[in-house]
Amino acid sequence: MAKQNKKRKSTKDKILLAFFYTFTVIFSLLCLYPFYQVIISSFADETTLITEGYRLIPSKFSLDAYKTLFSSKEILQAYGLTTGITVVGTIISLFFTSLAAYALSGKKLKYRNGINFFFYFTMLFSGGLIPYYLLLTNYLHLANNLLVYILPAAFNVWNMFLLRNFFNEIPDEYRESALMDGASEFTIVMKIILPLSLPALATVGLYTALAFWNEWMTSMLYMDDSKYYTLQYLIVRMVNNISAATNLGQSGLTAGQIAVPANTLRLATAVVTIGPIVLLYPFLQKYFVSGLRVGGIKG
């Protein structure tokens, strides 16, 4: 009788497991479909996209959108600039944020509660955009300077609290044994704490890189020279200019033909901008899943 109940329970578990797998597969396909539609439609012919709409496989393909997108040297220059800002900015931000998080972790820093409150206060209140703009332009003189992309974002309070909580979960014995061996605090951070915190660093680094990659308002506010525009802002300007030209009837339309691929160009810009970040996810997936537990365990 017990064996029958066990067998019956096992069958129920298999059915439930099959249901969960089926639901997960269907949900994943629903999430991936918009990405597929954007990518495949960006390679469609402009006239075909307008007349036939969005299909699983367009009847006619074309590279006009990508040719238009990369026909300007400014796009390639902005691509390289944005990539450099993302890499350098993420490294600098992780470095300073990690040092502050380590200093405020544990009970080794005097007046740490007051310093924590000072950082927390900045998350709740700010001076606003105008004082911030005056600070960067009139006092720090960062207008038309590439440092304006990196320095203001070199430290993130929210990320610092996340890393601090993760550092608190690391046993103090690591630090104490290193101090007994004559290691400095900086050595402890670089050679012990950070290597043990790869899941947290990968998670915070991914969100930091995403913020740098998607930054566009800084270019609009502080840059006058187009060679300093980031990819996101340059593409926004390009799409707006094409949309304005199309609305005004200046897009070079001929009878039954579209010269400027306005719709497919919008899709192509989405593919170009999200491509590097999407490709980055698989490499950080094993750290990213573990990093979601940041601050979730209390010793």
Side-chain angles (χ1 to χ4, degrees), residues 163-177:
L163 291 177
R164 185 204 63 176
N165 293 341
F166 193 91
F167 293 164
N168 285 333
E169 298 172 6
I170 299 177
D172 292 334
E173 286 76 8
Y174 287 103
R175 177 176 175 271
E176 294 174 358
S177 61

Side-chain angles (χ1 to χ4, degrees), residues 61-261:
F61 290 90
S62 174
L63 295 176
D64 291 341
Y66 290 95
K67 291 179 180 179
T68 303
L69 184 62
F70 290 104
S71 61
S72 174
K73 294 182 179 179
E74 292 181 346
I75 290 292
L76 298 177
Q77 186 178 18
Y79 215 105
L81 177 65
T82 304
T83 303
I85 291 173
T86 300
V87 173
V88 176
T90 301
I91 294 174
I92 292 177
S93 180
L94 282 178
F95 178 76
F96 287 108
T97 304
S98 300
L99 292 183
Y102 174 73
L104 294 174
S105 63
K107 300 180 179 180
K108 54 186 176 294
L109 182 65
K110 196 176 182 179
Y111 306 119
R112 63 185 180 279
N113 292 332
I115 298 175
N116 280 322
F117 176 78
F118 173 79
F119 283 124
Y120 178 70
F121 185 83
T122 62
M123 296 176 59
L124 302 178
F125 304 97
S126 66
L129 180 59
I130 295 178
Y132 183 72
Y133 178 85
L134 294 177
L135 173 65
L136 295 183
T137 55
N138 294 354
Y139 294 94
L140 299 180
H141 304 288
L142 293 179
N144 294 313
N145 191 326
L146 292 179
L147 292 178
V148 74
Y149 291 115
I150 298 176
L151 290 183
F155 181 80
N156 186 281
V157 177
W158 173 252
N159 292 339
M160 186 273 293
F161 282 127
L162 289 179
L163 291 177
R164 185 204 63 176
N165 293 341
F166 193 91
F167 293 164
N168 285 333
E169 298 172 6
I170 299 177
D172 292 334
E173 286 76 8
Y174 287 103
R175 177 176 175 271
E176 294 174 358
S177 61
L179 289 175
M180 292 178 62
D181 293 335
S184 63
E185 294 286 357
F186 185 78
T187 302
I188 295 174
V189 174
M190 301 304 296
K191 294 187 177 182
I192 298 179
I193 301 300
L194 295 187
L196 292 174
S197 306
L198 287 181
L201 293 175
T203 303
V204 172
L206 181 62
Y207 288 124
T208 302
L210 187 63
F212 276 109
W213 182 262
N214 290 329
E215 178 58 43
W216 62 271
M217 184 174 290
T218 302
S219 296
M220 182 183 67
L221 294 177
Y222 306 106
M223 295 299 177
D224 297 326
D225 195 339
S226 60
K227 68 180 181 181
Y228 294 144
Y229 289 165
T230 58
L231 178 65
Q232 308 293 342
Y233 181 63
L234 192 62
I235 286 179
V236 167
R237 285 169 56 92
M238 178 183 296
V239 173
N240 289 339
N241 290 338
I242 291 178
S243 300
T246 303
N247 293 333
L248 294 175
Q250 299 174 353
S251 59
L253 298 180
T254 59
Q257 187 177 5
I258 296 180
V260 178

Side-chain angles (χ1 to χ4, degrees), residues 15-33 285:
I15 295 175
L16 186 62
L17 188 63
F19 171 77
F20 286 149
Y21 275 119
T22 303
F23 175 79
T24 303
V25 170
I26 295 175
F27 182 76
S28 300
L29 292 176
L30 291 176
C31 293
L32 290 175
Y33 176 74
Q285 184 66 25

